[in-house]
Amino acid sequence: MYAIYQNKPDFEVYVKSVEHVPPHLHEPMELVYLRSGSMEIGCGTNLFHMKQGDLALIFPQVIHHYQNMSGEEGHALFIHSTTDHCPPFRDALERYTAQDPVIPKERVSDDIIQALICLENLDDRQVYHDVLMDSYLQIILGRIFPMFHLVQKDSMGSDDLIYRTVEYIARNHTREVTLTSMAKDLYVSPYALSRLFSSTFHMNFNRYLNQTRLRDFVHLLRLSNQSITEACMNAGFDSQRTMNRVFREEYHMSPSEYRKEIIKNRMQ
């Protein structure tokens, strides 16, 4: 279940339940504040544990995934933002990543929590909205950056097949792509690629591709005025029927019902 609080083309805040999300990457940075339960965050080839009250920062263009190994219900606040909202940190965010992205609860100060709350409840009709948004983000980054040990993103190894697979689908999911064509472009056998999806992503190629398209589709529903049909095609789905099936499996409602929920939350 998603609860949308704030949406702009380059910034969004939402709360959702802790669940499995396969490896992916995106341009915005991502702040994750765990409000209840526990979860695992995978960055690159490393897995990091998060408990209630912990805060994590996922740097832009870093492969990451989420797992709920405990099985208990939990919820987290997610904040996505491009580096345009935090110019003093842009260079570091784009060139480096954190060796360990998790800040334990004991080091998450009251002013960080207050800034997170302010971002969550910031009304886009508020005077000086954009200035306040940028200020709260920079307060958070200013507090947590000294806690990280930064390493060059280049040291993560872009030749790794997992990285190349995630990057390829992130860049090509909006066009027609098959396991065979992808294997050819990556210079690996379809068998090796299929085995990677099964062993690492715990799903087959088609499901991973549709999950990537689904995230893109939901992003368009939240942040644009595109019709459901337009968003479906722009996210790369070959048919609205496929999109409806994948969407209902994930959200247990139709896209039109989901959009109505977004509108209702914005008006509250």
Side-chain angles (χ1 to χ4, degrees):
M1 179 68 68
Y2 286 74
I4 310 301
Y5 293 101
Q6 175 77 14
N7 288 298
K8 293 173 70 68
D10 53 358
F11 178 85
E12 61 178 337
V13 179
Y14 57 91
V15 174
K16 73 170 185 176
S17 58
V18 174
E19 57 192 22
H20 176 70
V21 178
H24 63 286
L25 54 77
H26 41 66
E27 186 63 38
M29 67 176 182
E30 182 170 303
L31 285 162
V32 185
Y33 180 61
L34 189 60
R35 287 184 163 168
S36 61
S38 64
M39 64 187 291
E40 317 300 318
I41 292 184
C43 286
T45 58
N46 298 313
L47 198 63
F48 303 93
H49 180 70
M50 286 188 72
K51 63 183 186 300
Q52 182 177 345
D54 289 353
L55 176 68
L57 172 63
I58 309 300
F59 283 54
Q61 297 292 355
V62 170
I63 293 176
H64 57 288
H65 67 276
Y66 303 112
Q67 296 180 32
N68 181 359
M69 292 183 173
S70 69
E72 67 174 304
E73 185 176 1
H75 292 85
L77 173 70
F78 289 81
I79 299 174
H80 290 192
S81 174
T82 63
T83 57
D84 293 338
H85 291 293
C86 42
F89 301 93
R90 180 183 292 128
D91 183 65
L93 286 165
E94 294 177 352
R95 293 176 54 196
Y96 299 94
T97 187
Q99 194 170 63
D100 182 341
V102 178
I103 305 295
K105 175 182 179 180
E106 296 74 23
R107 303 188 69 187
V108 180
S109 58
D110 290 342
D111 56 344
I112 293 175
I113 295 174
Q114 186 60 41
L116 289 168
I117 293 172
C118 288
L119 283 172
E120 179 183 354
N121 294 290
L122 195 59
D123 189 333
D124 58 10
R125 295 166 295 184
Q126 188 172 342
V127 178
Y128 305 123
H129 168 274
D130 289 352
V131 174
L132 290 170
M133 180 174 63
D134 293 0
S135 299
Y136 293 136
L137 273 174
Q138 291 179 46
I139 287 172
I140 295 170
L141 294 178
R143 294 290 189 269
I144 66 177
F145 248 79
M147 304 182 198
F148 292 130
H149 175 67
L150 300 181
V151 295
Q152 290 274 357
K153 285 183 185 175
D154 295 344
S155 67
M156 297 175 62
S158 60
D159 289 335
D160 179 78
L161 182 56
I162 297 175
Y163 181 93
R164 291 193 293 137
T165 298
V166 172
E167 182 180 45
Y168 183 92
I169 291 187
R171 296 185 185 281
N172 295 282
H173 68 274
T174 56
R175 66 178 183 86
E176 184 178 354
V177 57
T178 66
L179 181 68
T180 302
S181 66
M182 180 178 172
K184 182 179 179 181
D185 290 343
L186 294 181
Y187 302 101
V188 297
S189 72
Y191 172 75
L193 199 56
S194 178
R195 186 171 58 182
L196 175 71
F197 278 104
S198 176
S199 62
T200 302
F201 301 158
H202 306 292
M203 62 181 70
N204 63 28
F205 165 79
N206 285 329
R207 185 179 175 193
Y208 183 86
L209 178 62
N210 281 333
Q211 287 290 317
T212 302
R213 288 170 172 167
L214 180 63
R215 285 195 297 272
D216 200 1
F217 173 73
V218 171
H219 183 79
L220 292 172
L221 282 188
R222 292 176 187 163
L223 305 182
S224 78
N225 293 320
Q226 293 182 21
S227 68
I228 289 174
T229 300
E230 289 174 325
C232 172
M233 301 308 294
N234 288 334
F237 283 104
D238 55 3
S239 72
Q240 193 161 337
R241 181 179 179 181
T242 299
M243 179 275 294
N244 283 328
R245 174 180 57 78
V246 173
F247 191 95
R248 190 169 286 278
E249 287 175 355
E250 183 72 19
Y251 293 96
H252 309 292
M253 65 177 73
S254 69
S256 59
E257 291 171 332
Y258 182 86
R259 179 163 259 178
K260 288 178 182 177
E261 286 291 319
I262 295 174
I263 295 172
K264 183 174 74 173
N265 284 326
R266 285 175 179 168
M267 295 177 65
Q268 288 178 350

